[in-house]
Amino acid sequence: MRALNPVVVIGSGVWLELACAWIAAPLRRFGMRVVAVVLPSDPAESRSTQFGPALTALCEHLACTPLSLIQQAQGHVSLGCHYEFAARQGFIPYGFYGLQAEASEFEQVVLRCLRESPALANTISIDALSVAAQAALQQKFAIAPNTRPDLQQALAFGGQMDSVALAACLHQHNLAAGVTYHACASLVCVRNTHGIAETIKTDNGYEQPVHFLIDCRRSSDVSSHATAATPALQQPFALRLWADSRPEPLSPYSSAIQLSGSWVVKHRLADREHWQCLLQPPATVALVLAELQQKTGIADWQQVRFPVPKGMDNPWQGNVLRCGEAAAVLDQPLYDGVSALSFMLPLWLALLPGQAMRPAAASLFNTQWQLFQQEVHMYLQCHTEPLATAQGQLFARAGRLLPAETDAILPAQWFGLLVGLGLRPALPSMLLATRSTTELFSAVHQIQHSIARLVSGMPSYTDFLALTRNAV
Amino acid sequence: MLKQRIVILGGGTAGWMAAAALSRFLPSQQYSICLVESEQIGTVGVGEATIPHIRHFNQWVGIEEAEFMQATGATYKLAIRFQGWGTANSDYYHPFGVSGDMLNDLPFHQVWWWLQQQHQPTYPFDHYSFAVQLAQQKRFRFPSTDIADVASSFNYAYQLDAGKYAMLLRQHATAQGVSRIEGKVQQVLQQPNGDISELVLEQGMRLKGDFFIDCSGFSALLIGQTLQTPFENWQQWLPCDRALAMPSAADVDPAPYTLSKTMAAGWRWRIPLQHRTGNGLVYASAFLADDAAEQHLVQEVNETGFAGASIKALRFTTGRRQQSWRHNCVAIGLAAGFLEPLESTSLHLIQLALEKLLLYFPVHTAGQSIVSTSERDAFNDQMATEYQRVRDFLILHYKVNTRSEPFWQYCAHMSLPDSLQQRLALFQESGQLVAYRQGLFQPASWLAVLLGQGARPNETDFRLQAAASAPYSAWLQQYYQHLKMQAGQSPSHRQALDNSSRSSNAPPVHSLYGYREASAAGGRVCVR
Ligand SMILES: Cc1cc2nc3c(=O)[nH]c(=O)nc-3n(C[C@H](O)[C@H](O)[C@H](O)COP(=O)(O)OP(=O)(O)OC[C@H]3O[C@@H](n4cnc5c(N)ncnc54)[C@H](O)[C@@H]3O)c2cc1C
């Protein structure tokens, strides 16, 4: 049997720990080691982290429950995000709308009702047609039993967590999974003449041969040590603004508020609410601060300036995966870099590089990453100019979504966003053309009632937390 | 209110499938549907092997399985048996099902290949498929919906009489209000903006329409001849361009699979139906003369009982229209494109086009162009992806071969589309295949063909390096015996056909490979 060098993960904070958490246990099962080389923390790292339903898959790897991880990471569950758009409000859930995941044309039924009878449409709210949205807005929460996979999907949840606490918690899991850690102030990557990363050398004299290098730095250039790095004088800067406020009544969701040229997002953490906003040039900071204060009541905002991430279309090259740099470009308050990492690392693992050089796997990985990136970019763009995107145009015309090539954005998120933005399709569904509007309204009302009944039977989020704490 | 007039040109399988589906969903108060066909021109008259999605289509348009089996003389289909593909003496099945299970989170084929490398006894890859075990023993049963049961690891389709199927669809469509006009379209009139406005028939009759469905077959009268939509030619990758078809007598004991057997410059099919057997030959005219092809087919058919029927000769160019929806016209069926029948995909592509058309169906607004680019682009993009992915899968059959004849040598050395090149390179590198989000054939199918035709990855999965082979070997042996025994206890295909008018079928599932594959929980085994 070949003894392979370890997979070396470099970076800092929650992204480094998360990368290790995704890969350490599965690699260990097959006799492969993971070494983490920890660099000083990155000021651009956000103080809170929002995970979507990929959290459940991560917890399977870690052999813990999502709830215990969230609690250890000083966070709260999240059934989705409550949006305050410029002109209206809405909830964007992770779980599907209606009562059946695959119910054909349910969304079309709703759209037709909304479209056809404005008077009756007032009796329908799309938030009332999502179990998750109803539960969240009533501050309720429950985890569906394994015997109800449909309800589990309807109530799919993620978590909003304190980044430092989450990193510490993942660190413990990683140690248990055999990850070894080395801290340093800086490092160089020694490559062979073919550009393959061979060894990591740190400033404090540590040398680690590399089978594969996973680089979680937001801004890195492991190859730049071979060629002198050019100072990025012209590089534009982004500004992350953040503030904390006192916790309000416990709610299992995050919130987003639209500003004139940006968004502010609030994560509910165990001991505080954490607000953040990302500004890209040419935003005028003073104006944004004034608007932030007006919308949130918070006057005191902290700031960190960092170079606008350049993005990375081909993060896997040779035996190096530059996932930090790739994820950084999607790490905006409305989308979290951990979701991008939680796409890349399982995919990398599935294409498991037994050999260090896997050009075909790398090429496929990069193609998949580009698709993921495109879908997230389109989602983010849709927040401000939906009709400039193919998705928004198709929805406005036919009420349909483009086929997704990845799970970057779940169908319920798209639907919630587009309807929340006020888009209504011009064309009715022909698959429903023979059904009368009265019949459809009655079906929708029935589902609305069933959801209301279901949610009324759920415990409040506070009671749920108390119950689970007692159970532990 | 003025009705929106939908005109379907063509009464082949595509035309009648369109008529049956549209008349099922479009309210007759708002739409009139008229189909024009010409007996003088006739239909292509082939298209007998299908894939499981047709069950969904039948259910969609309201055709019961028992009625369907009787009306079309159909048999059940579990697989395609490929003989001579890859190597001259290969013989494998591409089933509507999966082989094996995930073992300790490792794909079954990786374990199978690793055991072979360890010189452990194994059966051919396809033998670990329940559908193949049934097919080999000429047996049939309906799939189970219980994912703990091996019978949940497959799905089934039909082999049918295309003419009879078109007739059955016609009955349904006309009962649902579709009007039929017999006549040959001689001229097509357009609006100044390019939209089609009228079809002028030979007898002088004029047929106005708001929306046209071009099901005129290879002639592509509307999408091609009238709207001049460019044709993307894929012949450099799929060089066969001719076909011969001839029926022979029915088998007493019909096989629940389609046979595809190679010859020097193409391949031949054999499709057993209840009342006859369909035979045909698909070949490349650049490598084989027409008379030699005919001789070959007759000789082969004679070996299994010649019925003396006439031979139908067909010519085609593989490829597709760059857009199947232009202006107010959607092309469906052979008018939209043609991929040779190697994997029985044409009726599926028709079904898919209809499903998508209904998703984006345009609505008439008086005096305005009824179609916008959004739905047209969505339709065209999605159909392009589906065609391209089926195309890649077909090319795979030709590319992976070590045969010596000039035709096969050409195929082995031809350059590939990038999309296929990338998939093959990944398989070669590590035995991995990635599932498509859109696209019919998933890794189970690719593996059946790749491994069946002798392709092997360069490396075994390194995760198995530290594993002991004995428990895996024992699992495979036990699984194989279990499949074989379960298959042996199933009714013969003949019995199943005799009962087909009263049996209760399994509900259709939107996976080629059955419930287990469609369920996230299915097919994971722990081997110790
Ligand atoms: C050799 C071969 C084998 C095949 N095997 C399979 C298979 O096993 N499985 C599978 O799924 N598919 C198979 N196919 C494909 C399948 O046959 C077709 O997709 C299917 O039959 C649909 O054909 P169509 O209706 O588009 O065209 P056609 O059957 O050719 O029908 C065209 C219609 O248009 C009418 N028409 C044309 N011009 C005019 C005009 N000017 N005026 C009036 N009417 C007009 C004709 O009269 C006819 O009714 C095969 C195809 C070939 C060539």
Side-chain angles (χ1 to χ4, degrees):
Chain A
M1 186 182 128
R2 279 179 298 161
L4 296 174
N5 286 326
V7 171
V8 177
V9 186
I10 61 177
S12 62
V14 73
W15 286 14
L16 170 93
E17 299 295 353
L18 180 64
C20 293
W22 274 115
I23 64 172
L27 288 181
R28 188 191 207 189
R29 236 181 297 145
F30 301 109
M32 201 169 207
R33 283 189 308 127
V34 174
V35 171
V37 180
V38 187
L39 287 156
S41 61
D42 185 337
E45 180 175 309
S46 153
R47 271 74 182 160
S48 65
T49 298
Q50 163 99 10
F51 247 102
L55 183 65
T56 305
L58 174 70
C59 289
E60 272 170 29
H61 270 263
L62 302 178
C64 67
T65 65
L67 206 62
S68 67
L69 186 70
I70 291 169
Q71 284 175 351
Q72 286 174 50
Q74 310 284 318
H76 282 297
V77 301
S78 171
L79 287 162
C81 185
H82 179 262
Y83 273 67
E84 279 179 35
F85 298 102
R88 46 168 62 83
Q89 303 202 351
F91 191 87
I92 300 188
Y94 295 122
F96 58 80
Y97 284 86
L99 285 167
Q100 279 175 300
E102 307 285 320
S104 69
E105 298 297 279
F106 176 69
E107 283 80 1
Q108 298 300 320
V109 172
V110 177
L111 291 172
R112 173 140 149 222
C113 291
L114 292 177
R115 192 175 157 271
E116 259 172 32
S117 168
L120 267 176
N122 288 337
T123 62
I124 291 176
S125 126
I126 68 153
D127 290 346
L129 293 167
S130 150
V131 183
Q134 272 310 285
L137 298 173
Q138 294 177 36
Q139 271 103 31
K140 294 197 165 196
F141 185 75
I143 294 181
N146 287 339
T147 49
R148 293 293 306 272
D150 54 334
L151 268 188
Q152 284 181 339
Q153 277 188 58
L155 285 166
F157 67 95
Q160 28 191 347
M161 293 170 267
D162 177 274
S163 299
V164 176
L166 176 61
C169 179
L170 294 175
H171 185 76
Q172 293 308 317
H173 281 278
N174 293 337
L175 286 174
V179 178
T180 52
Y181 285 86
H182 295 275
C184 64
S186 65
L187 54 78
V188 286
C189 172
V190 180
R191 292 163 180 261
N192 69 13
T193 46
H194 304 293
I196 298 301
E198 287 191 325
T199 312
I200 289 291
K201 290 186 181 179
T202 67
D203 60 322
N204 50 11
Y206 172 71
E207 278 192 29
Q208 176 60 61
V210 169
H211 169 66
F212 199 97
L213 181 66
I214 296 186
D215 187 345
C216 301
R217 289 175 294 174
R218 283 161 196 272
S219 166
S220 61
D221 189 356
V222 280
S223 63
S224 67
H225 302 286
T227 57
T230 6
L233 285 177
Q234 306 299 323
Q235 198 169 358
F237 278 80
L239 199 63
R240 193 189 288 282
L241 302 170
W242 81 92
D244 287 326
S245 60
R246 278 199 326 204
E248 284 176 8
L250 296 184
S251 304
Y253 58 90
S254 58
S255 304
I257 303 172
Q258 188 164 21
L259 309 175
S260 325
S262 170
W263 289 81
V264 59
V265 167
K266 176 170 75 172
H267 291 155
R268 293 177 171 83
L269 305 178
D271 58 347
R272 66 192 197 282
E273 294 190 335
H274 183 76
W275 300 79
Q276 50 174 317
C277 171
L278 193 74
L279 300 183
Q280 305 240 349
T284 314
V285 181
L287 287 181
V288 176
L289 283 170
E291 200 180 1
L292 276 173
Q293 183 169 6
Q294 186 212 334
K295 297 264 182 182
T296 66
I298 303 172
D300 188 16
W301 290 82
Q302 304 193 54
Q303 305 178 9
V304 62
R305 218 164 87 104
F306 57 92
V308 170
K310 282 190 291 237
M312 168 110 341
D313 281 345
N314 297 300
W316 181 343
Q317 291 192 14
N319 64 339
V320 179
L321 177 66
R322 288 160 72 176
C323 55
E325 216 166 330
V329 79
L330 303 184
D331 189 39
Q332 317 217 1
L334 287 173
Y335 200 82
D336 201 302
V338 298
S339 299
L341 290 172
S342 298
F343 168 78
M344 280 188 272
L345 290 153
L347 178 60
W348 176 82
L349 201 61
L351 294 169
L352 206 66
Q355 305 145 275
M357 285 304 290
R358 296 282 310 279
S363 153
L364 183 115
F365 180 96
N366 292 334
T367 308
Q368 291 294 110
W369 165 249
Q370 285 154 26
L371 293 170
F372 182 92
Q373 203 177 220
Q374 274 165 25
E375 288 172 10
V376 178
H377 279 313
M378 187 150 70
Y379 183 67
L380 293 173
Q381 192 187 356
C382 257
H383 280 75
T384 43
E385 33 181 11
L387 293 178
T389 66
Q391 185 76 283
Q393 286 162 11
L394 182 62
F395 193 84
R397 178 74 185 160
R400 309 268 172 196
L401 298 175
L402 294 167
E405 289 287 347
T406 75
D407 281 330
I409 311 296
L410 300 169
Q413 290 178 287
W414 275 119
F415 184 77
L417 176 67
L418 296 166
V419 176
L421 284 165
L423 262 57
R424 299 289 180 271
L427 302 180
S429 162
M430 276 303 134
L431 296 172
L432 301 171
T434 52
R435 312 272 297 272
S436 76
T437 309
T438 330
E439 181 192 356
L440 297 181
F441 261 110
S442 132
V444 169
H445 282 136
Q446 222 169 329
I447 289 173
Q448 197 164 308
H449 284 135
S450 304
I451 289 176
R453 215 170 331 120
L454 186 77
V455 172
S456 73
M458 284 167 65
S460 73
Y461 183 49
T462 317
D463 287 349
F464 172 85
L465 288 178
L467 277 173
T468 46
R469 244 178 248 124
N470 291 342
V472 172
Chain B
M1 186 169 90
L2 272 183
K3 283 189 183 183
Q4 186 172 333
R5 296 154 304 181
I6 305 201
V7 177
I8 301 171
L9 172 59
T13 317
W16 285 113
M17 280 174 82
L22 296 185
S23 59
R24 177 86 172 170
F25 289 100
L26 303 185
S28 54
Q29 313 89 296
Q30 292 164 38
Y31 294 88
S32 69
I33 305 175
C34 172
L35 182 146
V36 200
E37 63 178 324
S38 157
E39 269 166 26
Q40 188 194 334
I41 296 174
T43 67
V44 70
V46 280
E48 300 177 326
T50 64
I51 60 163
H53 297 66
I54 195 170
R55 295 172 49 218
H56 204 267
F57 181 80
N58 283 348
Q59 193 189 50
W60 208 49
V61 299
I63 297 175
E64 298 281 336
E65 180 163 284
E67 176 197 10
F68 165 84
M69 296 295 292
Q70 226 166 13
T72 64
T75 55
Y76 296 112
K77 178 183 170 192
L78 295 165
I80 302 177
R81 180 176 182 181
F82 287 98
Q83 287 185 322
W85 288 87
T87 58
N89 53 9
S90 75
D91 188 354
Y92 74 91
Y93 292 80
H94 168 203
F96 299 131
V98 290
S99 282
D101 273 321
M102 287 283 278
L103 303 178
N104 293 341
D105 283 338
L106 294 165
F108 177 77
H109 72 281
Q110 298 279 19
V111 176
W112 174 83
W113 167 229
W114 170 72
L115 285 174
Q116 290 203 328
Q117 295 292 90
Q118 308 285 306
H119 307 290
Q120 297 292 314
T122 52
Y123 294 98
F125 182 71
D126 60 350
H127 285 38
Y128 299 96
S129 150
F130 189 56
V132 172
Q133 290 293 340
L134 287 169
Q136 284 179 328
Q137 297 181 40
K138 288 197 179 174
R139 292 178 182 276
F140 180 81
R141 57 158 290 179
F142 292 113
S144 163
T145 52
D146 171 9
I147 57 165
D149 183 347
V150 286
S152 66
S153 67
F154 78 100
N155 204 342
Y156 73 98
Y158 313 109
Q159 303 168 123
L160 54 84
D161 183 313
K164 291 183 182 219
Y165 186 44
M167 193 50 79
L168 177 65
L169 291 164
R170 175 173 154 182
Q171 279 163 14
H172 274 256
T174 46
Q176 284 163 186
V178 173
S179 58
R180 172 183 175 270
I181 294 174
E182 159 60 35
K184 188 171 167 188
V185 174
Q186 210 169 31
Q187 200 189 355
V188 180
L189 304 181
Q190 289 173 269
Q191 313 256 22
N193 69 0
D195 281 5
I196 293 172
S197 55
E198 268 179 79
L199 305 184
V200 183
L201 274 64
E202 222 170 32
Q203 316 89 303
M205 184 181 171
R206 300 168 78 105
L207 197 59
K208 285 189 179 6
D210 300 301
F211 196 70
F212 292 80
I213 319 254
D214 185 356
C215 297
S216 63
F218 286 129
S219 68
L221 186 61
L222 307 183
I223 196 84
Q225 293 183 43
T226 307
L227 296 174
Q228 297 289 312
T229 311
F231 188 82
E232 229 175 276
N233 187 325
W234 290 339
Q235 229 163 353
Q236 77 265 35
W237 298 306
L238 292 166
C240 290
D241 59 352
R242 306 237 166 133
L244 300 170
M246 73 183 298
S248 65
D251 290 343
V252 184
D253 186 16
Y257 58 81
T258 295
L259 175 70
S260 164
K261 189 174 167 191
T262 56
M263 38 95 68
W267 58 279
R268 90 167 188 87
W269 78 76
R270 188 168 199 283
I271 302 176
L273 308 180
Q274 290 191 49
H275 54 293
R276 65 169 169 80
T277 301
N279 303 279
L281 192 72
V282 175
Y283 62 100
S285 60
F287 293 85
L288 187 72
D290 293 342
D291 49 355
E294 192 172 321
Q295 225 176 353
H296 181 88
L297 179 63
V298 170
Q299 191 184 332
E300 288 256 322
V301 172
N302 270 336
E303 279 171 17
T304 49
F306 181 39
S310 62
I311 295 184
K312 183 167 196 163
L314 298 154
R315 291 174 179 215
F316 54 82
T317 309
T318 297
R320 65 179 290 271
R321 298 280 152 198
Q322 272 171 14
Q323 296 102 23
S324 21
W325 185 341
R326 290 197 65 210
H327 292 280
N328 59 342
C329 169
V330 171
I332 292 178
L334 298 174
F338 181 68
L339 285 163
E340 60 171 84
L342 188 54
E343 285 284 355
S344 328
T345 44
S346 292
L347 297 193
H348 170 68
L349 289 165
I350 295 170
Q351 173 180 345
L352 206 62
L354 289 167
E355 286 173 5
K356 292 195 185 296
L357 177 60
L358 276 162
L359 292 187
Y360 302 120
F361 206 82
V363 173
H364 186 46
T365 353
Q368 293 209 347
S369 177
I370 55 173
V371 184
S372 100
T373 51
S374 288
E375 63 262 27
R376 199 161 45 199
D377 290 351
F379 178 91
N380 285 334
D381 290 351
Q382 289 168 38
M383 288 311 294
T385 304
E386 297 285 349
Y387 266 88
Q388 183 227 297
R389 291 183 172 173
V390 171
R391 175 203 69 187
D392 284 358
F393 187 57
L394 298 188
I395 300 172
L396 172 77
H397 296 65
Y398 286 95
K399 176 71 182 176
V400 179
N401 92 81
T402 54
R403 296 181 56 135
S404 56
E405 298 95 324
F407 168 78
W408 292 104
Q409 280 292 299
Y410 166 82
C411 295
H413 294 107
M414 66 190 170
S415 63
L416 296 176
D418 292 345
S419 46
L420 176 58
Q421 183 67 48
Q422 191 183 46
R423 279 180 91 72
L424 277 183
L426 182 64
F427 176 81
Q428 198 63 55
E429 194 174 83
S430 57
Q432 287 167 323
L433 288 159
V434 174
Y436 291 131
R437 282 300 179 90
Q438 290 184 77
L440 177 61
F441 294 109
Q442 296 298 335
S445 292
W446 286 75
L447 286 170
V449 173
L450 281 160
L451 299 174
Q453 294 191 192
R456 298 290 181 267
N458 295 339
E459 291 241 330
T460 52
D461 192 315
F462 95 102
R463 290 173 291 183
L464 284 155
Q465 279 185 104
S469 59
Y472 287 104
S473 213
W475 189 91
L476 260 70
Q477 179 62 24
Q478 199 189 355
Y479 188 71
Y480 171 80
Q481 294 301 347
H482 178 64
L483 291 185
K484 201 167 167 159
M485 188 190 72
Q486 292 282 315
Q489 289 170 356
S490 304
S492 71
H493 185 212
R494 179 76 269 165
Q495 279 172 319
L497 290 174
D498 293 343
N499 291 333
S500 63
S501 58
R502 48 199 143 87
S503 58
S504 61
N505 57 341
V509 49
H510 249 303
S511 159
L512 266 189
Y513 317 106
Y515 287 88
R516 190 180 277 190
E517 202 268 347
S519 145
R524 283 175 191 279
V525 176
C526 180
V527 177
R528 279 181 233 277

